[in-house]
Amino acid sequence: MTVDLRKDFVNYAKSLNAASEDKNIRTAISRAVTSYRNTVTETLERFPHTPALAEEVQEIKRQSMANLDNLLETAMASVERNKGKAFYAKDHQAALDIALGIIGKGKTVVKGKSMLGEELHLREYLEDNGNEVWETDLGEFILQLRKERPMHILSPSIHVPREQVAEVFTKFFGKVVPPDIAEEVKVVKEFLREKYFTADVGISGANVVAADTGAMVIIENEGNVRLATGAPPVHIVMVGVEKLVPTFQEAMKVAEVTWRYAQYGVPGYVNIVSGPSKTGDIEKVTTYGAHGPKEFYVIFVDNGRNEMAHEEKFSQALHCLRCGGCMYECPVFQVTAGHFGHTYMGGIGAIWTAFVSGGMEKAAPLVYSCLRCGRCVERCPMSINVPAMIGELRERVIYGKLEG
Amino acid sequence: METKMPMVLDVISENIIKHGSPLALKGSEVSSWAKELDLPAKGDVLFYTGGEYQMLPFIDSLVKTITHLDQGSKVFSMMMGARNILNKTGFSPEKMYASVLAKDKDRYNSVCFKAAKVLKELGYEFCYSGNEELYSGALLYELGYLQDMEDYVKRVVEVIKKSGAKTIVCLSPHAAEVFKFVYPKMVEGFDFEIRTYVDLVWERRDKLAKLQSAESVVIHDSCRLARELGIHQELRDILVSIGADVKEAPMNREWTSCCGGPIKILFPELSHVIGERRVTELKESGSAHILTSCPYCLSALEAGRAKGDSAVVEDLIEFLYRGVKA
Ligand code: SF4
């Protein structure tokens, strides 16, 4: 059988060209790049121990990925011990089935930002199955209304200026929303506030998971995750298995490095959730669902990650903290944003596309639009050698080894 | 499972394998710059061009032609050399190659001549493989044709061995990169000392002719040179020693911004945009006299210069040669 990729290349080139002419993308990304470089320089000066800590985290990640099966087992046991329910989803469909099994139909769901959610097309799936789902991250909410996909892993709606936000809000809320950022934030806050407290289920991802304690660490600034995971009676965490580390202490190290390079400086909120809400205040009888969720579920998603962990040349890609730094330094991403990607973006995204989200056919054009210039490696706190992996994938594409 | 890739990849890889040049240039064309120099075929130090500067003026027209074909139809079977493809489609290669401006051809062809002259001036002795010199195969490595490369490099090594040299001096950082990091993995006993042109000049920079007046220049660090080979301070040392006023761009050395060149053959428009942006960034240094030390950077930045832009883009070789002549 022959897979003809020529059309894909032509179409992809067209989309890159169109993106590179888009003034909104250009302006937004140049602003973002400058601000990224400034914040990181400034925070690294303030917290000079960070690069050394990042090296430590590389080693933590390396060992965790080499030990993935054990870690998963420990983590699942920890979640159960905490009176949560733990699931393992081998692939994309299994993950969706498990989630839908817990949620059912006719429910209202509030959701925090999660790249895994994008990978699984989680919102669309739950909606198609008769649920009402709200993205609570402001950027994701804007994209939900615009029916678009994220253009950056941390700032998904980076390409949408305030005027366009006002336009889509005015239409959606049925009242005039001026192109004023504070006003725009306010209308969403009012709208979602009601959703948090009437929702049946809150879904979040996690930035790190400590296997020993079953602690899910979620970093955020807006406070939406806090509400989405605290107010509804059910909290589901959906997390990729690559987020596992052995201990709570190590999880804190990973978290600190993540937020520092993800331009949080110091994040507004770090949520640590290990089980359902409980109280023993009356007669020391433990009762679940005190103020927060009564039910707590964790779905560990594999979907190609384990295979990647076993590939010597690619397991390092699982160390990615999703800080987004490499994307800001990528000359292709700087002019095309998320168009250089398929769910996951930039050079590292091309690797993830091949193994986790889309497969080699989808990855091939991305793999060839990488310059292999190597600046991402300079930036990456995990020193992930993306250009080397790109080279390896090119070889696989050329010689027809498309199975990843 | 077999894959059908954009035709330009087939053309380039086939050309390298069959003709020893990504653009199927003839050995006599590639080595014409050396006619008057009478370089020996044997010696301790081999001067290696890989035909890279010489092919620069042809890349754009090949890309244009093939991108056009790629979108048009599927009647072209895979695995045809550039000359073949062009024949079949009614373009003649001669016509395509002839459409390249003579002044561009002359300019890029003479870079090798100038490099040789500068090194001679500094007292270096070296040999050159002339007509027989083969392209390093860097693009096979870059584009994923590693299995083909394993066979190809054997032929390159044969030619290199004929020279009897122990040291290879590369004009292009891409050639230096593959000789240094890829060849040793593919060829047993590939133990040549790999140097770059920049290295050699740096060592004897005191002997370079000084500039008449302190010109201000800005260095575009090539990704390969700065990040893979760790050469960036050397460029500054060389320029300072001849009295140039070296300005720095916001992103430089190991943080240098890529010129966009590597994706030119598949994504020419995007490559162009990236080149333009880099030229703008370089000019933020306060100097519009851009110097680089890589054939692809040279060509990409030259293309990224807006029409009528006052910026000057030169290879370090061209810049230093002016001192030799004076
Ligand atoms: S590859 Fe490195 S720089 Fe890029 S998002 Fe992942 S951790 Fe950050």
Side-chain angles (χ1 to χ4, degrees):
Chain A
M1 211 188 108
T2 307
V3 188
D4 190 342
L5 292 171
R6 288 178 299 182
K7 266 249 142 47
D8 300 84
F9 271 82
V10 172
N11 293 336
Y12 176 56
K14 279 188 191 142
S15 89
L16 290 181
N17 291 343
S20 77
E21 281 158 23
D22 185 327
K23 288 233 164 51
N24 290 332
I25 292 184
R26 272 289 175 109
T27 333
I29 306 258
S30 344
R31 255 191 242 142
V33 169
T34 313
S35 115
Y36 180 86
R37 286 175 180 160
N38 292 342
T39 333
V40 171
T41 315
E42 196 186 298
T43 43
L44 288 189
E45 266 166 35
R46 245 180 97 199
F47 305 101
H49 65 280
T50 315
L53 190 62
E55 271 178 40
E56 224 183 294
V57 167
Q58 287 185 28
E59 188 51 29
I60 295 173
K61 285 277 182 182
R62 208 182 55 72
Q63 299 210 359
S64 303
M65 289 310 100
N67 230 333
L68 197 48
D69 297 345
N70 281 335
L71 279 184
L72 179 63
E73 211 174 287
T74 314
M76 290 181 74
S78 300
V79 171
E80 297 277 340
R81 181 192 302 244
N82 299 341
K83 300 286 183 260
K85 283 221 164 332
F87 299 86
Y88 168 73
K90 178 94 194 83
D91 57 25
H92 170 245
Q93 194 54 48
L96 291 173
D97 288 346
I98 296 168
L100 191 68
I102 299 167
I103 297 166
K105 282 189 197 324
K107 304 285 173 54
T108 300
V109 179
V110 283
K111 202 181 145 287
K113 181 171 63 190
S114 138
M115 283 308 293
L116 175 61
E118 293 294 329
E119 172 188 324
L120 300 171
H121 301 291
L122 179 62
R123 172 163 48 80
E124 293 80 353
Y125 186 78
L126 295 177
E127 283 172 348
D128 289 349
N129 281 284
N131 294 292
E132 178 187 327
V133 185
W134 295 104
E135 298 289 351
T136 61
D137 174 83
L138 180 58
E140 290 263 29
F141 180 77
I142 293 169
L143 296 187
Q144 177 174 13
L145 299 189
R146 283 171 57 104
K147 301 192 173 45
E148 278 179 355
R149 65 187 186 87
M151 283 293 126
H152 188 271
I153 54 173
L154 288 169
S155 317
S157 62
I158 190 169
H159 59 297
V160 191
R162 69 180 82 173
E163 292 75 16
Q164 290 184 12
V165 173
E167 221 169 87
V168 67
F169 281 4
T170 298
K171 201 163 146 219
F172 176 75
F173 293 112
K175 63 171 184 191
V176 177
V177 179
D180 174 277
I181 297 175
E183 278 300 314
E184 291 169 347
V185 171
K186 197 170 134 215
V187 285
V188 176
K189 176 176 177 166
E190 278 162 11
F191 174 78
L192 286 179
R193 186 61 50 144
E194 189 245 81
K195 299 291 173 198
Y196 293 125
F197 292 97
T198 53
D200 304 285
V201 179
I203 302 183
S204 74
N207 297 87
V208 206
V209 179
D212 64 347
T213 48
M216 312 285 141
V217 184
I218 313 162
I219 306 164
E220 60 155 337
N221 264 343
E222 290 181 16
N224 62 312
V225 174
R226 200 142 266 236
L227 285 160
T229 63
V234 176
H235 176 196
I236 304 176
V237 178
M238 295 185 80
V239 63
V241 290
E242 83 283 7
K243 297 285 159 61
L244 285 160
V245 296
T247 66
F248 186 80
Q249 291 294 326
E250 288 164 314
M252 290 301 105
K253 291 180 179 173
V254 178
E256 184 179 350
V257 171
T258 305
W259 73 58
R260 193 122 314 132
Y261 285 90
Q263 214 190 346
Y264 285 95
V266 176
Y269 305 91
V270 179
N271 307 281
I272 300 174
V273 188
S274 319
S277 142
K278 63 184 173 195
T279 177
D281 281 0
I282 305 178
E283 295 181 6
K284 285 279 168 235
V285 176
T286 309
T287 309
Y288 291 93
H291 299 280
K294 188 174 181 178
E295 296 169 35
F296 178 66
Y297 302 91
V298 181
I299 307 173
F300 291 101
V301 181
D302 184 331
N303 202 27
R305 289 163 173 81
N306 204 31
E307 187 197 326
M308 221 162 145
H310 285 99
E311 286 244 19
E312 202 195 317
K313 288 184 167 133
F314 292 98
S315 70
Q316 201 200 12
L318 291 168
H319 301 184
C320 176
L321 305 173
R322 307 264 159 77
C323 71
C326 55
M327 289 159 225
Y328 287 125
E329 294 302 347
C330 172
V332 175
F333 188 87
Q334 286 180 350
V335 288
T336 60
H339 294 275
F340 176 23
H342 177 83
T343 308
Y344 295 102
M345 301 156 205
I348 182 75
I351 315 293
W352 275 71
T353 303
F355 285 90
V356 169
S357 176
M360 279 295 254
E361 279 183 55
K362 283 273 179 286
L366 306 178
V367 161
Y368 276 90
S369 59
C370 169
L371 294 156
R372 294 186 79 243
C373 75
R375 188 159 66 180
C376 55
V377 190
E378 295 293 324
R379 175 56 85 194
C380 178
M382 297 295 100
S383 301
I384 299 175
N385 195 339
V386 169
M389 295 181 204
I390 292 280
E392 183 68 25
L393 285 182
R394 285 183 183 173
E395 187 179 354
R396 293 186 184 193
V397 172
I398 292 297
Y399 300 109
K401 288 179 272 177
L402 290 188
E403 281 77 38
Chain B
M1 215 181 318
E2 214 183 302
T3 40
K4 252 195 203 340
M5 297 297 283
M7 195 171 342
V8 70
L9 293 181
D10 302 328
V11 171
I12 288 189
S13 57
E14 273 297 289
N15 280 342
I16 297 172
I17 295 162
K18 284 206 185 117
H19 305 285
S21 155
L23 294 183
L25 298 184
K26 296 193 186 101
S28 54
E29 294 172 75
V30 172
S31 62
S32 63
W33 62 270
K35 261 185 221 138
E36 306 151 35
L37 290 177
D38 253 344
L39 297 171
K42 284 181 191 295
D44 283 343
V45 178
L46 177 67
F47 184 85
Y48 181 80
T49 77
E52 291 184 71
Y53 281 97
Q54 298 90 312
M55 75 179 176
L56 292 180
F58 303 104
I59 294 181
D60 286 331
S61 53
L62 177 86
V63 167
K64 242 179 251 151
T65 315
I66 296 185
T67 322
H68 175 77
L69 296 181
D70 245 348
Q71 312 208 353
S73 76
K74 295 194 172 179
V75 296
F76 310 101
S77 68
M78 296 174 57
M79 301 301 178
M80 290 190 285
R83 288 174 188 275
N84 270 333
I85 282 190
L86 298 167
N87 284 336
K88 286 217 171 157
T89 52
F91 296 90
S92 82
E94 271 61 41
K95 225 197 235 157
M96 182 190 92
Y97 288 159
S99 74
V100 173
L101 293 177
K103 80 171 180 2
D104 284 345
K105 243 190 287 189
D106 289 346
R107 174 183 177 186
Y108 292 115
N109 229 344
S110 67
V111 173
C112 302
F113 173 83
K114 292 175 177 173
K117 280 294 242 189
V118 172
L119 291 185
K120 282 242 174 262
E121 195 75 11
L122 293 177
Y124 286 105
E125 293 294 332
F126 44 86
C127 60
Y128 174 53
S129 308
N131 284 353
E132 293 185 22
E133 186 189 70
L134 293 175
Y135 171 68
S136 68
L139 277 169
L140 292 178
Y141 161 71
E142 231 6 89
L143 299 173
Y145 293 85
L146 272 104
Q147 293 169 24
D148 293 281
M149 184 153 173
E150 298 216 2
D151 289 329
Y152 178 73
V153 297
K154 291 191 193 117
R155 286 163 42 208
V156 181
V157 172
E158 236 170 76
V159 176
I160 293 175
K161 280 200 171 141
K162 258 195 190 171
S163 72
K166 295 184 185 62
T167 302
I168 307 173
V169 182
C170 302
L171 295 192
S172 160
H174 291 262
E177 182 195 19
V178 290
F179 284 152
K180 226 176 166 147
F181 303 120
V182 183
Y183 273 55
K185 287 192 210 146
M186 293 185 169
V187 185
E188 226 178 288
F190 188 86
D191 51 5
F192 295 90
E193 182 195 23
I194 308 304
R195 309 288 306 272
T196 62
Y197 168 80
V198 177
D199 261 345
L200 263 65
V201 172
W202 181 79
E203 260 174 25
R204 299 191 184 171
R205 62 190 180 284
D206 302 344
K207 292 195 185 165
L208 289 166
K210 305 278 175 287
L211 294 176
Q212 309 285 346
S213 58
E215 270 181 70
S216 90
V217 294
V218 55
I219 295 166
H220 164 69
D221 291 286
S222 126
C223 298
R224 286 296 177 283
L225 205 58
R227 283 191 277 263
E228 247 75 20
L229 301 164
I231 297 177
H232 43 78
Q233 183 55 39
E234 289 82 346
L235 294 166
R236 282 137 183 102
D237 292 348
I238 292 170
L239 290 163
V240 167
S241 79
I242 61 168
D245 172 17
V246 181
K247 305 277 191 211
E248 294 291 350
M251 302 306 285
N252 61 7
R253 302 183 187 251
E254 60 270 55
W255 285 96
T256 184
S257 304
C258 178
C259 64
I263 56 171
K264 190 184 234 175
I265 56 172
L266 280 166
F267 303 95
E269 291 92 347
L270 185 63
S271 163
H272 192 90
V273 171
I274 294 170
E276 265 171 17
R277 283 167 56 92
R278 179 56 176 165
V279 170
T280 309
E281 191 174 63
L282 287 161
K283 290 200 314 194
E284 281 171 35
S285 67
S287 171
H289 192 165
I290 300 167
L291 296 182
T292 186
S293 200
C294 165
Y296 307 109
C297 295
L298 177 63
S299 145
L301 295 178
E302 191 59 84
R305 223 166 40 110
K307 274 212 180 75
D309 191 329
S310 59
V312 175
V313 180
E314 278 189 307
D315 197 277
L316 177 73
I317 295 168
E318 299 175 287
F319 186 70
L320 295 180
Y321 178 70
R322 281 200 259 127
V324 172
K325 259 197 328 191

